[in-house]
Amino acid sequence: MSAYSALTAVLGPTNTGKTHLAVERMMARSSGMIGLPLRLLAREIYDRVVKAKGVHAAALITGEEKIAPPTARYFICTVESMPLDMRVAFVAIDEVQLAADPDRGHVFTDRLLHMRGTEETMLLGASTVEGLIRRLVPDAEILQRERFSTLRYAGPAKITKLPRRSAIVAFSGESVYAIAELLRRQRGGAAVVLGALSPRTRNAQVALYQSGEVDYLVATDAIGMGLNMDVDHVAFAEITKFDGHRRRKLTPAELGQIAGRAGRFRDDGTFGETSDVRPLEGEVVEALENHEFARLEKLSWRNSDLDLRSLDRLFASLRRPSPDPALERVRGAEDEKVLDILAADPDVRRYASTPRGVEMVWDACRIPDFRKITIDAHARLVRQILDHLMSPNARIPSDFMARQLDRLDRVEGDVDILSQRLAHVRTWAYVSHRTDWSEDAHLWRDRAREVEDRLSDALHERLTQRFVDRRTSALIRGLREDKELLAGVTPDGRVTVEGHEVGHLEGLKFLPDISGGALEARALRQAADRALRPEMNRRLGRLTKAEDTTLSITADGRILDGETPVALLVAGDTLLKPGVKLIGGELGSAEARERAMRRLDAFVQGEIAAKLAPLLALPAAAAEGKVTGMARGIAHRLEEAGGCVARADVLTEVRALSPVERRQLRSLGVRIGEHVLFMPALTKPAAASLASLLRATARGDGHAPFLPGPGLVSVPAEEGRAAGDYAAAGFHRCGPLAVRVDMLERLADLIREGRAAKDGHGFAMTADMTSILGCSVADLRGVLNALGYRRIQTGPDPEKAEGERWAVRVRKHRAQEPAPVKVDPDSPFAALAALARPAPEPAARRKPRRAKKARK
């Protein structure tokens, strides 16, 4: 004998195990049936019963699917689909407080009043319905169950700041998708649950959440109806919804039904709002925490004893007043609205001329509107189906069913398109489960299930692609669990962590494949730091042992290992001692990076020693005393400038050079030219390129080094380019052109030869001069002007050099003698002034000057 009476009402808040108790009681009986509010929940309970009793013992009956083996003993149904003529030992109705719902409530009320098991009946629901059960079902024993865990208010929080294992609740698909998109960008992703999802899609989405692949669930109030998930916190992103008639605030009881999903068994839970929702009022918070809500005063009701002898009698029986003031007759039910529309059609009136016809019309009107478009559109679909049912064949033709399902059996499209197709498929699944409605109903039932499964899988895939960054989620989960991450690097540098491609390694630099926000970047950096350290240390170690033949320096200052950039030159202590900075390598150890930098620094110094040996010889000779006096100063200036100095800049020092000092400079490879002091060995391309690069590196202002093309002896001068940049590359700026210094000195030789031919009085401009400089006549004129010459005769052809004569003018760099300062002979400084006067030149040196003056 059971410890329970024949009729028991088990009431209490969520997380009190009511549904679990009913399922256990049902499976303890020889047979049973449970009516549930959602197809999703029915599928969940069905899977549980199948696991416990086997697939042949359980049946699933909903509007859209029917799995009913002949040996089934336990029937899991939606409330609307419960077989009313079946006798079983146990019957349970879940969420009976929905009997107050204005749309579906009359079905729950009917089951509450009339559905009974032969041995035991259980009514499950919230305590708000207790008073009405006592009134309408006075023989029911009321059992109150207490919540196993505590529910506490946590206050508002930004969506991006919500704790892990949170469910965010909104009441429209648009809001759910917008929140899920935000969580994907900021937290790696979210699963979504909507009442319109097929069980297959819903289960796949919940599996994402339950497995920990994502930490957030975004859902409608579908989660409030017994869907069991490990939720620690419920956050309301909305507290108003459109209920099919109007937009209204949720009642405290409705909020409590949803918030109660936080916490499982004895684990406490919290609830709150998102930051853009007005905070819950104090009395509402208190009601939710204490599970105390206003009692329901009325249930929705509609007469179930319908008169099907005519349409008018059907309308009259549907509108029969309720037998009790606690039962409020439903108004505006969807099936009644469709009946009103169709009854105005004479053809439908003709269909309903017999009781069988009235029954057929009413059954067609009760096809659920899964598409949720408009009532008129739904009525047109019902009429289309009804026309087939009332045809001479009295069946929906197979070719018609095939066309409908073929049109929907396509998996391309986005989330919204796939959701619409699924809604349409649900209609034809419902039709196919009416075995007397279509030809070969079993075939179309299986076909509808196949199409729904394909669309469900595609929808799950699109939802996951759109709202879950699986790579970021996997990385975050691995970091959170502090487990060793499995990483690999392919030969072409692709980096994978935990099976997800996270970026590329180019030499020592990790380039994360970031397509999301800051969270993804942070996760990638942390994962790479942990997973790539061994690989990075290995690469740094290989670089430390690299041969000089595999290393090279590019024109823009990068150091290559083979063809891969591994470092770059940076400003150092001096021009000839630049620094080296690794390109990447941060993921390696400090010791490995230091060893690699020392190796690269040694390579760079070796390149400088090999290509700029004459320049390095200057400070060495000074240190060894091989250059003295003014020669020592000029050598230092050449070292600082990279081996090339304009003569005008060191004119005083050059004039002061003694013959010995001149020989010292020549022995070091220094040529004292007419316009430039330079080292011919450094004008070779390799040396000039490196010297120019070192100059740009030492300057450190980001400007590119001056690098003329191979073989060019003159190039147009660049605006703003410093003279030192040209000098480092072995060029000298002369007006519009920068001219290679050895060619500039050859030009000076031609000018001297020309002056000698004219007894030193001017020279003729020739084609050889333009040829040497590789420039036009106009550019040559600009060069000569810049060098201090003036045109004294124009040639017959302005485009040609022949016939045009030039002469020397006072050089700009020749400083005038300062005017003598008059000193008072009686002043005490007169003696000092006399001491400061230079001694008179010897007569031997003055005589040529007098002779020259006499000639003039």
Side-chain angles (χ1 to χ4, degrees):
M1 186 68 180
S2 171
Y4 295 87
S5 63
L7 179 57
T8 307
V10 183
L11 307 178
T14 55
N15 195 22
T16 55
K18 299 185 297 294
T19 306
H20 175 80
L21 172 65
V23 174
E24 292 296 317
R25 294 297 301 164
M26 179 180 71
M27 290 192 295
R29 300 288 182 178
S30 59
S31 62
M33 182 188 303
I34 183 169
L36 298 156
L38 294 175
R39 181 190 180 200
L40 298 177
L41 181 55
R43 186 77 195 200
E44 181 179 305
I45 300 301
Y46 169 76
D47 292 339
R48 177 179 165 189
V49 175
V50 166
K51 186 176 181 180
K53 295 294 185 178
V55 68
H56 298 293
L60 174 67
I61 302 176
T62 69
E64 302 97 291
E65 58 185 328
K66 184 176 182 180
I67 304 173
T71 56
R73 295 183 291 124
Y74 305 104
F75 297 82
I76 298 89
C77 317
T78 53
V79 170
E80 288 86 350
S81 301
M82 296 176 74
L84 303 182
D85 56 351
M86 184 178 293
R87 292 177 60 81
V88 290
F90 177 90
V91 168
I93 312 298
D94 198 15
E95 305 292 358
V96 291
Q97 76 276 2
L98 289 179
D101 183 79
D103 295 316
R104 304 174 62 201
H106 63 280
V107 179
F108 282 80
T109 300
D110 181 75
R111 306 301 184 259
L112 182 152
L113 295 175
H114 302 117
M115 286 292 294
R116 297 291 184 265
T118 59
E119 298 177 13
E120 182 177 1
T121 302
M122 294 185 73
L123 306 176
L124 316 172
S127 299
T128 56
V129 77
E130 178 183 352
L132 291 173
I133 290 179
R134 290 188 183 278
R135 173 173 179 151
L136 299 171
V137 193
D139 56 338
E141 179 183 358
I142 306 295
L143 295 180
Q144 290 286 352
R145 292 177 69 89
E146 298 294 329
R147 183 179 167 93
F148 296 130
S149 59
T150 300
L151 186 63
R152 181 175 52 83
Y153 178 61
K158 288 184 177 181
I159 291 177
T160 56
K161 300 295 183 181
L162 290 172
R164 293 178 54 243
R165 316 311 292 167
S166 288
I168 301 94
V169 180
F171 300 103
S172 69
E174 294 79 5
S175 297
V176 167
Y177 294 156
I179 294 169
E181 179 65 30
L182 175 62
L183 288 170
R184 186 196 68 81
R185 295 196 307 268
Q186 300 294 333
R187 287 291 179 267
V192 297
V193 171
L194 300 91
L197 293 182
S198 67
R200 190 180 183 97
T201 304
R202 174 262 178 190
N203 290 341
Q205 286 291 301
V206 169
L208 284 177
Y209 177 79
Q210 290 292 87
S211 67
E213 188 166 346
V214 294
D215 286 329
Y216 298 92
L217 176 73
V218 189
T220 61
D221 48 354
I223 67 167
M225 296 298 170
L227 299 182
N228 295 313
M229 287 166 285
D230 298 324
V231 175
D232 295 336
H233 179 78
V234 170
F236 291 96
E238 296 175 339
I239 56 175
T240 64
K241 73 171 185 177
F242 181 74
D243 61 7
H245 305 281
R246 61 189 175 88
R247 176 162 289 278
R248 62 174 179 83
K249 290 183 64 174
L250 272 72
T251 66
E254 290 171 324
L255 293 172
Q257 182 76 22
I258 299 168
R261 290 297 141 198
R264 287 293 303 275
F265 195 52
R266 301 191 184 281
D267 295 329
D268 295 340
T270 58
F271 68 95
E273 321 89 358
T274 58
S275 57
D276 53 350
V277 174
R278 179 178 296 180
L280 297 175
E281 298 172 354
E283 56 270 23
V284 175
V285 170
E286 185 177 354
L288 268 61
E289 289 183 333
N290 297 321
H291 318 294
E292 296 179 353
F293 307 106
R295 303 299 184 183
L296 294 175
E297 297 180 355
K298 292 185 179 183
L299 300 183
S300 183
W301 176 88
R302 184 170 71 185
N303 178 34
S304 59
D305 184 17
L306 301 180
D307 188 343
L308 300 174
R309 287 177 290 176
S310 70
L311 278 181
D312 293 335
R313 289 178 180 272
L314 174 59
F315 277 120
S317 60
L318 286 170
R319 294 163 184 170
R320 185 176 301 168
S322 72
D324 190 299
L327 300 176
E328 184 175 39
R329 187 176 68 82
V330 63
R331 287 178 173 81
E334 183 180 272
D335 49 10
E336 291 186 47
K337 290 180 179 179
V338 174
L339 182 62
D340 283 337
I341 294 173
L342 295 185
D345 189 318
D347 289 336
V348 175
R349 284 278 181 180
R350 180 171 51 82
Y351 293 157
S353 60
T354 65
R356 174 60 181 162
V358 174
E359 181 182 0
M360 188 64 72
V361 170
W362 177 236
D363 282 349
C365 290
R366 289 191 292 165
I367 297 173
D369 182 12
F370 297 110
R371 300 178 301 167
K372 302 298 182 186
I373 306 175
T374 65
I375 193 66
D376 290 330
H378 182 56
R380 286 193 296 272
L381 175 63
V382 172
R383 170 62 192 276
Q384 189 177 22
I385 294 171
L386 185 59
D387 286 342
H388 288 299
L389 295 177
M390 300 306 294
S391 68
N393 189 35
R395 292 287 190 276
I396 301 174
S398 291
D399 59 346
F400 176 82
M401 292 290 291
R403 286 197 303 272
Q404 304 307 314
L405 292 173
D406 288 345
R407 179 173 55 88
L408 300 171
D409 193 7
R410 294 180 292 121
V411 296
E412 67 276 6
D414 59 16
V415 168
D416 293 330
I417 291 175
L418 292 173
S419 297
Q420 290 172 9
R421 289 186 191 140
L422 268 172
H424 284 70
V425 169
R426 293 176 71 185
T427 299
W428 302 114
Y430 180 94
V431 169
S432 68
H433 280 88
R434 294 295 301 264
T435 56
D436 57 337
W437 279 15
S438 59
E439 300 173 351
D440 203 353
H442 290 285
L443 170 66
W444 300 118
R445 186 182 308 163
D446 293 342
R447 177 73 195 285
R449 180 64 180 270
E450 292 171 0
V451 174
E452 181 180 292
D453 286 349
R454 275 193 289 274
L455 290 173
S456 297
D457 292 341
L459 179 57
H460 169 65
E461 181 182 349
R462 300 296 193 283
L463 289 170
T464 303
Q465 289 175 349
R466 180 172 172 182
F467 302 127
V468 179
D469 187 338
R470 285 187 137 154
R471 180 182 63 181
T472 302
S473 297
L475 296 179
I476 293 173
R477 187 168 63 253
L479 294 169
R480 184 172 61 244
E481 296 172 358
D482 197 29
K483 69 177 184 179
E484 183 177 353
L485 297 174
L486 299 177
V489 182
T490 62
D492 60 352
R494 289 183 293 114
V495 179
T496 59
V497 177
E498 293 293 307
H500 297 277
E501 187 170 332
V502 298
H504 287 73
L505 268 181
E506 292 186 0
L508 305 177
K509 188 174 183 180
F510 174 60
L511 301 174
D513 181 13
I514 299 174
S515 56
L519 173 73
E520 181 181 23
R522 186 167 64 252
L524 285 176
R525 284 194 298 268
Q526 292 177 356
D529 184 53
R530 285 174 49 179
L532 295 182
R533 185 176 292 270
E535 170 66 16
M536 191 60 69
N537 285 336
R538 185 185 69 79
R539 292 191 174 204
L540 288 168
R542 187 182 64 189
L543 181 60
T544 301
K545 300 176 182 178
E547 299 291 336
D548 284 352
T549 54
T550 68
L551 300 175
S552 60
I553 302 175
T554 65
D556 59 357
R558 294 177 299 161
I559 302 175
L560 305 184
D561 180 11
E563 297 181 356
T564 305
V566 293
L568 51 83
L569 297 180
V570 296
D573 296 335
T574 65
L575 178 75
L576 298 179
K577 290 187 178 180
V580 173
K581 180 182 178 181
L582 293 177
I583 301 176
E586 299 85 357
L587 299 179
S589 66
E591 296 81 3
R593 294 198 304 270
E594 183 62 31
R595 287 193 295 269
M597 289 176 64
R598 286 200 298 268
R599 170 68 188 96
L600 294 177
D601 184 69
F603 165 73
V604 170
Q605 290 302 316
E607 288 290 286
I608 293 174
K611 296 178 180 178
L612 303 179
L615 196 59
L616 291 173
L618 295 177
E624 296 172 3
K626 294 181 179 180
V627 286
T628 58
M630 285 298 176
R632 185 186 182 96
I634 290 176
H636 181 67
R637 292 288 297 274
L638 286 169
E639 177 195 356
E640 287 183 333
C644 181
V645 178
R647 180 165 180 157
D649 295 339
V650 290
L651 183 59
T652 303
E653 292 89 335
V654 170
R655 287 177 174 176
L657 285 173
S658 67
V660 173
E661 292 168 346
R662 288 176 178 268
R663 286 195 297 272
Q664 291 174 351
L665 291 175
R666 281 197 298 271
S667 68
L668 294 174
V670 178
R671 177 179 173 183
I672 303 175
E674 177 78 14
H675 304 290
V676 183
L677 277 68
F678 66 103
M679 306 181 79
L682 298 182
T683 61
K684 296 179 180 179
S689 176
L690 180 56
S692 183
L693 173 61
L694 293 178
R695 160 82 182 184
T697 301
R699 193 172 59 245
D701 55 7
H703 284 78
F706 172 67
L707 296 172
L712 294 179
V713 295
S714 68
V715 294
E718 300 176 20
E719 192 67 31
R721 172 73 72 177
D725 291 355
Y726 297 116
F731 279 67
H732 181 69
R733 179 167 183 175
C734 305
L737 299 180
V739 182
R740 204 171 74 192
V741 291
D742 54 344
M743 293 297 103
L744 186 62
E745 293 304 323
R746 287 185 61 185
L747 175 64
D749 293 341
L750 290 177
I751 292 174
R752 277 193 295 271
E753 292 172 1
R755 290 176 63 189
K758 299 296 181 180
D759 297 327
H761 298 290
F763 61 92
M765 194 168 68
T766 65
D768 287 344
M769 295 180 181
T770 58
S771 177
I772 287 174
L773 300 189
C775 67
S776 66
V777 172
D779 284 338
L780 178 59
R781 292 189 184 111
V783 170
L784 293 176
N785 267 319
L787 292 176
Y789 300 100
R790 60 186 176 87
R791 187 164 54 179
I792 59 177
Q793 181 180 334
T794 303
D797 188 347
E799 300 299 324
K800 294 184 178 180
E802 285 77 12
E804 188 166 306
R805 296 184 57 77
W806 290 69
V808 180
R809 62 183 174 188
V810 177
R811 302 292 178 86
K812 296 180 180 179
H813 56 257
R814 289 184 178 178
Q816 295 182 355
E817 292 291 336
V821 179
K822 294 183 180 181
V823 181
D824 186 354
D826 298 328
S827 169
F829 295 100
L832 293 176
L835 292 175
R837 292 192 195 101
E841 294 183 355
R845 296 187 64 180
R846 290 198 302 268
K847 185 174 181 180
R849 289 189 177 184
R850 287 198 300 271
K852 186 175 182 180
K853 185 175 181 181
R855 286 198 300 272
K856 288 183 180 181

